Amino acid sequence: QVQLVESGGGLVQPGGSLRLSCTASGSILSINAMGWYRQAPGKQRELVARIISGGNTDSADSVKGRFTISRDNAKNTVSLQINNLKPEDTAVYYCNADILLLQNYNARFWGQGTQVTVSS
């Protein structure tokens, strides 16, 4: 199996910063893509940012300029630096990974989610 372990969520004041991290472990041959989604109460889950193994990134317009995604390939870890947090960033943030397994097929995996709350 593959496990995605997330860390870094919490309660932050508007304008503050957080750094989320996600580490994948298990039957991994390689990671095709890895990133973060979020789901606010009453809303659909949406892409926040993701990074391909070659370094290309994709992110939501609402977070461009404030969120930066990076990856440590050697540790199978992706991090999301979140700056200038706004109340509308409040959501459960989920790590997601598209992984080529040792059994030689691709699959997607989700973390359990970490809560980010932006409030004064």
Side-chain angles (χ1 to χ4, degrees), residues 5 9 17 29 34-35 38 40 43 60 66 68 72 84 93 104 111 119:
V5 179
S17 298
L29 183 60
M34 202 167 177
R38 69 185 180 187
K43 296 185 178 181
R66 299 188 297 121
T68 302
D72 184 339
N84 192 23
Y93 285 68
N104 202 34
S119 176

Side-chain angles (χ1 to χ4, degrees), residues 58-72:
D58 187 21
S59 63
D61 289 340
S62 61
V63 308
K64 284 184 168 65
R66 299 188 297 121
F67 290 23
T68 302
I69 193 164
S70 61
R71 181 173 169 180
D72 184 339

Side-chain angles (χ1 to χ4, degrees), residues 68-89:
T68 302
I69 193 164
S70 61
R71 181 173 169 180
D72 184 339
N73 291 329
K75 297 182 178 181
N76 291 333
T77 297
V78 66
S79 297
L80 186 69
Q81 179 67 41
I82 311 173
N83 297 324
N84 192 23
L85 280 158
K86 303 175 180 180
E88 52 263 42
D89 294 319

Side-chain angles (χ1 to χ4, degrees), residues 8-54:
L11 175 63
V12 184
Q13 303 295 321
S17 298
L18 282 175
R19 187 174 179 87
L20 306 182
S21 294
C22 176
T23 298
S25 62
S27 302
I28 299 169
L29 183 60
S30 63
I31 298 178
N32 303 313
M34 202 167 177
W36 291 90
Y37 292 69
R38 69 185 180 187
Q39 188 165 22
K43 296 185 178 181
Q44 294 183 334
R45 189 173 298 186
E46 64 176 355
L47 172 70
V48 178
R50 62 181 176 180
I51 187 167
I52 309 300
S53 61

